[in-house]
Protein backbone atom coordinates (compact mmCIF):
# COMPACT_ATOMS: atom_id res chain seq x y z
CA UNK A 1 0.00 0.00 0.00
CA UNK A 2 1.39 3.44 -0.92
CA UNK A 3 1.24 6.45 1.42
CA UNK A 4 0.43 10.01 0.32
CA UNK A 5 4.00 10.57 -0.87
CA UNK A 6 3.94 7.53 -3.10
CA UNK A 7 6.25 5.47 -0.88
CA UNK A 8 5.12 1.91 -0.35
CA UNK A 9 4.30 1.36 3.29
CA UNK A 10 5.32 -1.85 5.00
CA UNK A 11 2.47 -4.24 5.70
CA UNK A 12 1.79 -4.71 9.39
CA UNK A 13 1.82 -8.45 8.82
CA UNK A 14 5.54 -8.37 8.06
CA UNK A 15 6.50 -7.38 11.57
CA UNK A 16 3.64 -8.95 13.47
CA UNK A 17 4.56 -11.63 15.96
CA UNK A 18 3.15 -15.15 15.87
CA UNK A 19 -0.42 -15.73 17.00
CA UNK A 20 -0.57 -16.40 20.70
CA UNK A 21 -3.29 -19.07 20.93
CA UNK A 22 -2.34 -21.68 23.52
CA UNK A 23 -5.69 -23.49 23.80
CA UNK A 24 -8.68 -24.38 21.63
CA UNK A 25 -10.72 -21.84 23.56
CA UNK A 26 -8.33 -19.04 22.66
CA UNK A 27 -8.47 -20.10 19.01
CA UNK A 28 -12.27 -19.98 18.92
CA UNK A 29 -12.35 -16.70 20.85
CA UNK A 30 -10.84 -15.01 17.80
CA UNK A 31 -12.63 -17.03 15.14
CA UNK A 32 -14.39 -15.10 12.35
CA UNK A 33 -15.83 -12.59 12.57
CA UNK A 34 -13.38 -10.69 14.73
CA UNK A 35 -14.36 -9.46 18.14
CA UNK A 36 -14.45 -5.80 17.17
CA UNK A 37 -17.32 -3.42 17.89
CA UNK A 38 -18.79 -3.36 14.40
CA UNK A 39 -22.25 -4.08 15.76
CA UNK A 40 -24.54 -7.05 15.41
CA UNK A 41 -24.63 -8.69 11.97
CA UNK A 42 -27.84 -9.17 10.04
CA UNK A 43 -29.79 -12.18 11.26
CA UNK A 44 -32.67 -12.27 8.81
CA UNK A 45 -31.91 -15.67 7.28
CA UNK A 46 -30.33 -19.02 8.13
CA UNK A 47 -27.35 -19.28 5.77
CA UNK A 48 -26.17 -22.88 5.42
CA UNK A 49 -23.41 -22.12 2.92
CA UNK A 50 -20.45 -19.77 2.76
CA UNK A 51 -22.15 -17.71 0.04
CA UNK A 52 -24.86 -15.14 0.92
CA UNK A 53 -28.37 -16.19 -0.10
CA UNK A 54 -27.10 -19.40 -1.71
CA UNK A 55 -28.79 -22.67 -0.85
CA UNK A 56 -31.63 -23.37 1.58
CA UNK A 57 -32.75 -21.32 4.55
CA UNK A 58 -34.64 -22.27 7.70
CA UNK A 59 -36.90 -24.60 5.71
CA UNK A 60 -34.02 -27.08 5.59
CA UNK A 61 -35.02 -28.04 9.14
CA UNK A 62 -38.67 -28.66 8.35
CA UNK A 63 -41.02 -27.07 10.87
CA UNK A 64 -39.53 -27.55 14.35
CA UNK A 65 -40.95 -25.91 17.44
CA UNK A 66 -37.67 -26.25 19.35
CA UNK A 67 -34.08 -26.38 18.13
CA UNK A 68 -30.54 -26.68 19.45
CA UNK A 69 -27.54 -25.19 17.65
CA UNK A 70 -24.15 -26.79 18.34
CA UNK A 71 -21.19 -24.44 18.09
CA UNK A 72 -23.23 -21.30 17.52
CA UNK A 73 -20.40 -18.68 17.57
CA UNK A 74 -22.09 -15.41 16.50
CA UNK A 75 -25.53 -17.05 16.91
CA UNK A 76 -26.75 -15.54 13.63
CA UNK A 77 -28.35 -18.82 12.53
CA UNK A 78 -29.98 -19.29 15.93
CA UNK A 79 -31.36 -15.77 15.95
CA UNK A 80 -32.71 -16.03 12.42
CA UNK A 81 -34.44 -19.27 13.35
CA UNK A 82 -35.74 -17.86 16.63
CA UNK A 83 -37.30 -14.96 14.77
CA UNK A 84 -39.50 -17.44 12.89
CA UNK A 85 -41.05 -18.47 16.22
CA UNK A 86 -38.84 -21.48 17.02
CA UNK A 87 -37.54 -21.72 20.59
CA UNK A 88 -33.77 -22.05 20.10
CA UNK A 89 -30.94 -22.97 22.47
CA UNK A 90 -27.49 -21.95 21.20
CA UNK A 91 -24.41 -23.61 22.71
CA UNK A 92 -20.78 -22.52 22.30
CA UNK A 93 -17.81 -22.97 24.62
CA UNK A 94 -16.01 -19.73 23.72
CA UNK A 95 -16.48 -17.20 26.51
CA UNK A 96 -15.68 -14.35 24.12
CA UNK A 97 -18.15 -15.49 21.47
CA UNK A 98 -20.92 -15.98 24.01
CA UNK A 99 -20.34 -12.64 25.72
CA UNK A 100 -20.60 -10.92 22.36
CA UNK A 101 -23.75 -12.91 21.57
CA UNK A 102 -25.27 -11.79 24.87
CA UNK A 103 -24.51 -8.17 24.03
CA UNK A 104 -26.10 -8.53 20.60
CA UNK A 105 -29.05 -10.84 21.21
CA UNK A 106 -30.03 -10.59 24.88
CA UNK A 107 -33.46 -9.21 23.98
CA UNK A 108 -34.41 -12.04 21.60
CA UNK A 109 -37.43 -13.67 23.28
CA UNK A 110 -37.06 -17.16 21.76
CA UNK A 111 -33.31 -17.54 22.26
CA UNK A 112 -31.41 -19.18 25.13
CA UNK A 113 -27.61 -18.80 25.14
CA UNK A 114 -25.51 -21.48 26.84
CA UNK A 115 -21.75 -21.21 27.36
CA UNK A 116 -20.55 -24.82 27.48
CA UNK A 117 -18.52 -27.39 25.62
CA UNK A 118 -20.89 -29.15 23.23
CA UNK A 119 -20.19 -32.78 24.28
CA UNK A 120 -20.48 -31.85 27.95
CA UNK A 121 -23.78 -30.07 27.40
CA UNK A 122 -25.24 -32.92 25.36
CA UNK A 123 -24.20 -35.48 27.96
CA UNK A 124 -25.65 -33.48 30.84
CA UNK A 125 -28.90 -31.98 29.57
CA UNK A 126 -32.15 -33.91 29.69
CA UNK A 127 -33.94 -31.58 27.29
CA UNK A 128 -35.10 -32.87 23.91
CA UNK A 129 -35.52 -30.88 20.71
CA UNK A 130 -37.35 -31.15 17.41
CA UNK A 131 -34.16 -30.19 15.57
CA UNK A 132 -30.44 -30.14 16.27
CA UNK A 133 -28.28 -28.17 13.87
CA UNK A 134 -24.62 -27.52 13.25
CA UNK A 135 -24.21 -24.61 10.86
CA UNK A 136 -20.49 -24.82 10.08
CA UNK A 137 -20.19 -25.65 13.76
CA UNK A 138 -19.48 -28.55 16.08
CA UNK A 139 -20.27 -31.35 13.62
CA UNK A 140 -17.24 -30.22 11.64
CA UNK A 141 -14.87 -30.17 14.59
CA UNK A 142 -15.92 -33.14 16.77
CA UNK A 143 -15.41 -36.78 15.89
CA UNK A 144 -18.84 -37.93 14.65
CA UNK A 145 -18.35 -41.21 16.47
CA UNK A 146 -18.36 -39.12 19.66
CA UNK A 147 -20.93 -36.50 18.65
CA UNK A 148 -23.72 -38.53 17.04
CA UNK A 149 -24.36 -40.86 20.02
CA UNK A 150 -24.80 -37.70 22.10
CA UNK A 151 -27.04 -35.95 19.59
CA UNK A 152 -29.54 -38.74 18.94
CA UNK A 153 -30.95 -38.98 22.50
CA UNK A 154 -31.49 -35.22 22.50
CA UNK A 155 -33.90 -35.40 19.56
CA UNK A 156 -37.60 -36.01 19.87
CA UNK A 157 -38.99 -38.95 17.86
CA UNK A 158 -38.95 -37.90 14.24
CA UNK A 159 -36.58 -35.04 15.04
CA UNK A 160 -34.10 -33.69 12.50
CA UNK A 161 -30.32 -33.42 12.71
CA UNK A 162 -28.93 -31.05 10.08
CA UNK A 163 -25.40 -29.83 9.43
CA UNK A 164 -23.26 -28.00 6.93
CA UNK A 165 -19.52 -27.64 6.38
CA UNK A 166 -17.08 -27.02 3.58
CA UNK A 167 -16.74 -29.50 0.72
CA UNK A 168 -13.64 -31.67 1.30
CA UNK A 169 -11.03 -31.97 -1.41
CA UNK A 170 -10.96 -35.57 -2.66
CA UNK A 171 -9.21 -37.84 -1.93
CA UNK A 172 -8.27 -36.17 1.36
CA UNK A 173 -11.16 -37.49 3.44
CA UNK A 174 -11.12 -38.00 7.18
CA UNK A 175 -9.77 -35.99 10.12
CA UNK A 176 -7.42 -33.19 9.12
CA UNK A 177 -5.21 -31.41 11.63
CA UNK A 178 -4.56 -27.69 11.22
CA UNK A 179 -2.00 -25.60 13.00
CA UNK A 180 -4.18 -23.24 15.02
CA UNK A 181 -1.47 -20.56 14.94
CA UNK A 182 -0.50 -21.07 11.33
CA UNK A 183 3.09 -22.21 11.01
CA UNK A 184 4.49 -19.93 13.70
CA UNK A 185 4.22 -19.85 17.45
CA UNK A 186 2.76 -22.47 19.77
CA UNK A 187 1.85 -25.89 18.42
CA UNK A 188 -1.94 -25.89 18.62
CA UNK A 189 -3.85 -28.64 16.84
CA UNK A 190 -7.31 -27.93 15.45
CA UNK A 191 -9.01 -30.98 13.94
CA UNK A 192 -11.64 -30.79 11.21
CA UNK A 193 -13.61 -33.88 10.19
CA UNK A 194 -13.59 -33.72 6.38
CA UNK A 195 -15.71 -36.73 5.50
CA UNK A 196 -17.06 -37.80 2.15
CA UNK A 197 -20.81 -37.79 1.70
CA UNK A 198 -20.80 -41.58 1.67
CA UNK A 199 -18.88 -41.69 4.95
CA UNK A 200 -21.38 -39.31 6.53
CA UNK A 201 -24.30 -41.44 5.32
CA UNK A 202 -22.75 -44.63 6.64
CA UNK A 203 -21.98 -43.15 10.07
CA UNK A 204 -25.43 -41.60 10.45
CA UNK A 205 -27.16 -44.87 9.60
CA UNK A 206 -24.91 -46.80 11.96
CA UNK A 207 -25.93 -44.51 14.82
CA UNK A 208 -29.63 -45.08 14.23
CA UNK A 209 -30.61 -42.15 12.03
CA UNK A 210 -33.09 -42.57 9.19
CA UNK A 211 -34.02 -40.60 6.07
CA UNK A 212 -30.34 -39.78 5.66
CA UNK A 213 -29.47 -37.25 2.97
CA UNK A 214 -25.94 -35.91 2.52
CA UNK A 215 -24.78 -34.12 -0.61
CA UNK A 216 -22.45 -31.44 -1.87
CA UNK A 217 -24.20 -28.28 -2.97
CA UNK A 218 -22.01 -26.74 -5.68
CA UNK A 219 -20.88 -23.15 -5.32
CA UNK A 220 -22.76 -20.40 -7.14
CA UNK A 221 -20.29 -20.38 -10.04
CA UNK A 222 -18.32 -23.03 -11.90
CA UNK A 223 -15.36 -24.40 -9.92
CA UNK A 224 -16.33 -22.55 -6.73
CA UNK A 225 -15.90 -24.50 -3.48
CA UNK A 226 -19.09 -26.30 -2.52
CA UNK A 227 -20.83 -27.02 0.77
CA UNK A 228 -21.65 -30.35 2.38
CA UNK A 229 -25.31 -30.34 3.44
CA UNK A 230 -26.53 -33.18 5.62
CA UNK A 231 -29.90 -34.03 7.08
CA UNK A 232 -31.21 -37.08 8.90
CA UNK A 233 -33.94 -37.90 11.38
CA UNK A 234 -34.69 -40.14 14.31
CA UNK A 235 -37.37 -42.82 13.90
CA UNK A 236 -40.91 -41.59 14.63
CA UNK A 237 -42.72 -42.59 17.76
CA UNK A 238 -44.49 -45.96 17.58
CA UNK A 239 -48.11 -45.69 16.44
Amino acid sequence: MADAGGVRAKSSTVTAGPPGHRTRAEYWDTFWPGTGDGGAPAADRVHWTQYPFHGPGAEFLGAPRTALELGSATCVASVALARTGVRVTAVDFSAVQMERARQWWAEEPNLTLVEDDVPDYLARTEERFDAVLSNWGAAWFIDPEVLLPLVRPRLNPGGVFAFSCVEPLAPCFGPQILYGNGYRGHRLAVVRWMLSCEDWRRILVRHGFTNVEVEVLPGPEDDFVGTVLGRASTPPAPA
Side-chain angles (χ1 to χ4, degrees), residues 50-51 54 166-169 216-227:
Q50 62 271 47
Y51 306 105
H54 176 67
V166 73
E167 171 191 15
L169 284 171
V216 173
L217 178 67
E221 297 185 29
D222 290 343
D223 296 325
F224 274 33
V225 178
T227 308

Side-chain angles (χ1 to χ4, degrees), residues 143-196:
D143 184 347
E145 300 289 1
V146 173
L147 182 65
L148 294 180
L150 294 171
V151 167
R152 192 175 180 278
R154 303 279 57 83
L155 281 165
N156 288 321
V160 172
F161 172 59
F163 65 93
S164 64
C165 59
V166 73
E167 171 191 15
L169 284 171
C172 301
F173 300 127
Q176 297 182 6
I177 300 178
L178 309 177
Y179 279 107
N181 290 316
Y183 301 135
R184 299 172 294 130
H186 301 285
R187 295 185 183 93
L188 174 64
V190 177
V191 184
R192 299 185 304 182
W193 294 85
M194 307 284 281
L195 304 182
S196 69

Side-chain angles (χ1 to χ4, degrees), residues 38-54:
D44 53 357
R45 187 180 192 271
V46 179
H47 294 276
W48 291 94
T49 84
Q50 62 271 47
Y51 306 105
F53 301 99
H54 176 67

Side-chain angles (χ1 to χ4, degrees), residues 100-170:
R100 181 177 56 184
R102 284 189 285 267
Q103 292 175 7
W104 285 346
W105 315 120
E107 302 304 316
E108 294 291 334
N110 292 324
L111 180 68
T112 300
L113 300 173
V114 178
E115 182 182 323
D116 204 349
D117 204 6
V118 164
D120 292 344
Y121 174 82
L122 291 171
R124 185 176 58 254
T125 186
E126 296 182 357
E127 191 169 358
R128 288 175 176 256
F129 303 87
D130 295 331
V132 174
L133 63 144
S134 170
N135 190 320
W136 289 67
W140 194 15
F141 294 96
I142 298 176
D143 184 347
E145 300 289 1
V146 173
L147 182 65
L148 294 180
L150 294 171
V151 167
R152 192 175 180 278
R154 303 279 57 83
L155 281 165
N156 288 321
V160 172
F161 172 59
F163 65 93
S164 64
C165 59
V166 73
E167 171 191 15
L169 284 171

